[in-house]
């Protein structure tokens, strides 16, 4: 049993209407204090702000986040080739093949439409292996109506290296 303001609280006792209202108000204030603390930790984790400034700062922070999300969505659409007329067809500028080479490491990205010629991942991997590269990772990803292939390989003998133009030529023969 607890004592509150001279009264015992138990099964048989009841609080007055005023005490219940005060208790609800106290709980509401504690809940709001916790919510403001959580908001403050998200908006400005380095220092605490007074509530009016916190609300203003969080509103501007939310607007910034919304703009950032919109920019990222536009970037995603641009990267997927969906910007512009959708009536031009879903295979706008596809397939896209890009090969990047840094030292003894070569990375290949290929984006194809699902309706295009099927390319098996093992065919792409075998090109790298036949050209003297050891495949470190090979990924296949389906996204809406597109397939993305990503292969990362490293030269078996670093002094000899890998010829990216030869690999690109052989990959283009497989794709087209």
């Amino acid at each position: 049993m607890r004592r509150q303001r001279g009264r015992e609280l138990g099964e048989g006792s009841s609080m007055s209407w005023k005490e219940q209202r005060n208790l609800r108000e106290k709980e509401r204030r504690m809940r709001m204090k916790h919510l403001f603390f959580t908001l403050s930790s998200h908006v400005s984790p380095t220092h605490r702000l007074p509530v009016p400034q916190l609300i203003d700062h969080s509103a501007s922070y939310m607007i910034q986040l919304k703009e950032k999300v919109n920019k990222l969505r536009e970037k995603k659409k641009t990267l997927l080739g969906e910007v512009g007329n959708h009536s031009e067809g879903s295979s706008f500028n596809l397939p896209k093949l890009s090969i990047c080479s840094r030292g003894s490491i070569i990375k290949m990205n290929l984006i194809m439409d699902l309706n295009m010629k099927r390319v098996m991942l093992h065919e792409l991997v075998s090109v790298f292996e036949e050209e003297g590269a050891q495949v470190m990772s090979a990924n296949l990803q389906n996204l809406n109506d597109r397939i993305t292939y990503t292969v990362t390989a490293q030269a078996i003998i670093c002094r000899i290296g890998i010829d990216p133009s030869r690999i690109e030529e052989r990959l283009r023969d497989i794709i087209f």
Side-chain angles (χ1 to χ4, degrees):
M1 282 199 207
R2 294 186 318 191
R3 283 189 65 86
Q4 184 178 8
R5 292 190 194 176
R7 288 193 183 193
E8 289 186 6
L9 295 175
E11 293 177 0
S13 64
S14 64
M15 293 173 39
S16 71
W17 180 79
K18 188 175 183 179
E19 289 172 334
Q20 289 176 356
R21 186 183 59 180
N22 289 341
L23 185 60
R24 279 195 307 265
E25 180 64 20
K26 182 179 178 182
E27 289 172 354
R28 184 191 70 79
R29 287 181 183 166
M30 294 298 289
R31 192 170 51 246
M32 290 301 292
K33 185 177 179 181
H34 173 71
L35 290 173
F36 281 127
F37 179 76
T38 305
L39 179 63
S40 177
S41 67
H42 288 295
V43 174
S44 62
T46 56
H47 59 281
R48 289 194 63 180
L49 298 171
V51 173
Q53 289 179 355
L54 176 65
I55 292 173
D56 291 340
H57 191 67
S58 61
S60 64
Y61 181 68
M62 287 172 45
I63 291 170
Q64 289 174 353
L65 288 177
K66 190 172 184 177
E67 290 172 358
K68 190 174 184 180
V69 167
N70 289 337
K71 287 179 184 178
L72 289 173
R73 283 186 181 147
E74 286 296 319
K75 185 176 181 180
K76 178 182 175 183
K77 286 181 182 180
T78 304
L79 291 174
L80 291 175
E82 295 179 0
V83 174
N85 280 339
H86 293 284
S87 61
E88 293 177 10
S90 62
S91 62
F92 181 69
N93 289 338
L94 290 179
K96 291 182 182 179
L97 175 66
S98 65
I99 296 180
C100 298
S101 177
R102 275 196 187 160
S104 63
I105 296 178
I106 187 167
K107 186 173 183 178
M108 183 268 319
N109 288 315
L110 172 64
I111 301 173
M112 294 185 70
D113 195 298
L114 280 175
N115 301 327
M116 295 180 146
K117 176 185 171 185
R118 293 279 183 197
V119 175
M120 302 302 284
L121 186 60
H122 71 86
E123 295 174 324
L124 302 174
V125 169
S126 66
V127 169
F128 282 89
E129 290 174 346
E130 291 168 4
E131 291 296 323
Q134 178 182 2
V135 175
M136 296 172 12
S137 69
N139 296 313
L140 169 76
Q141 186 178 33
N142 287 325
L143 181 66
N144 297 335
D145 61 340
R146 294 184 175 28
I147 302 174
T148 303
Y149 301 89
T150 304
V151 177
T152 305
Q154 183 176 11
I156 294 174
I157 303 170
C158 294
R159 287 178 282 160
I160 296 174
I162 309 170
D163 184 14
S165 61
R166 175 82 178 130
I167 291 177
E168 184 174 1
E169 179 183 324
R170 291 193 57 198
L171 290 173
R172 289 194 183 278
D173 291 341
I174 293 173
I175 297 166
F176 298 107

